[in-house]
Amino acid sequence: MKSTESTPIQDREVWANLPVEDVEQTREFYRELGFKPNEGRNGEHLASFLVVDSDFIVHFFQRDMFEQASGGNAADLTKRNEIMFTISADSKSEVDEWARKAKKAGGSLFNKPAEIQNGWYGCGFADPDGHKWNVFYNRT
């Protein structure tokens, strides 16, 4: 008799699937930021990256493929927000470096590096399609 127990959630992978207009542009943007390509998962319509080792995977699908798979229209990120990822940093200078690299790679800053509150320092950037990321350092 087969066991009906499932694998605990902490032993699973999590994938975020996001739509993009230009997969190759997205691939280059995230490579320039130092994201690790998810080997064997990339293709003409998909740029896939491992975030913090292999515990979290971000897939960037060509918009039409994303809309087909999700059964609906993707959000217009010039008018709305969908999700914002946050990356921890080890220092203020690391936050500053993320901001510099994101801008140089073709992204935009929606929050320049600054003191935020209660010992936090951070910035916010968007990739060429408008997907948002925060980078935060806490000195406490």
Side-chain angles (χ1 to χ4, degrees):
M1 184 170 168
K2 289 184 179 180
S3 171
T4 58
E5 289 184 37
S6 64
T7 303
I9 192 71
Q10 62 270 22
D11 295 334
R12 302 281 185 176
E13 290 179 339
V14 175
W15 306 339
N17 300 308
L18 301 172
V20 297
E21 294 297 328
D22 184 333
V23 170
E24 191 55 39
Q25 177 185 33
T26 299
R27 191 180 335 273
E28 283 305 309
F29 177 81
Y30 285 97
R31 279 184 183 155
E32 287 186 40
L33 290 182
F35 280 58
K36 181 180 177 185
N38 186 8
E39 298 303 333
R41 299 281 185 171
N42 289 286
E44 180 182 350
H45 301 287
L46 172 66
S48 180
F49 293 92
L50 301 171
V51 182
V52 293
D53 297 322
S54 63
D55 294 330
F56 185 68
I57 298 167
V58 179
H59 291 300
F60 297 95
F61 281 95
Q62 189 71 39
R63 180 175 293 276
D64 59 338
M65 299 210 41
F66 176 87
E67 289 178 344
Q68 180 182 5
S70 67
N73 294 330
D76 179 350
L77 298 181
T78 63
K79 298 177 182 170
R80 293 188 167 95
N81 293 306
E82 61 180 348
I83 190 169
M84 186 163 35
F85 297 105
T86 301
I87 300 168
S88 65
D90 292 328
S91 66
K92 286 183 176 184
S93 62
E94 185 180 351
V95 171
D96 296 341
E97 181 66 9
W98 274 98
R100 187 194 66 71
K101 286 170 66 174
K103 194 162 176 143
K104 182 180 178 198
S108 60
L109 295 180
F110 61 87
N111 284 324
K112 292 179 181 176
E115 295 286 340
I116 301 167
Q117 62 182 0
N118 302 327
W120 289 92
Y121 181 82
C123 72
F125 68 87
D127 70 13
D129 285 281
H131 303 294
K132 293 184 176 179
W133 297 79
N134 282 317
V135 181
F136 287 138
Y137 164 69
N138 187 321
R139 68 172 181 252
T140 58

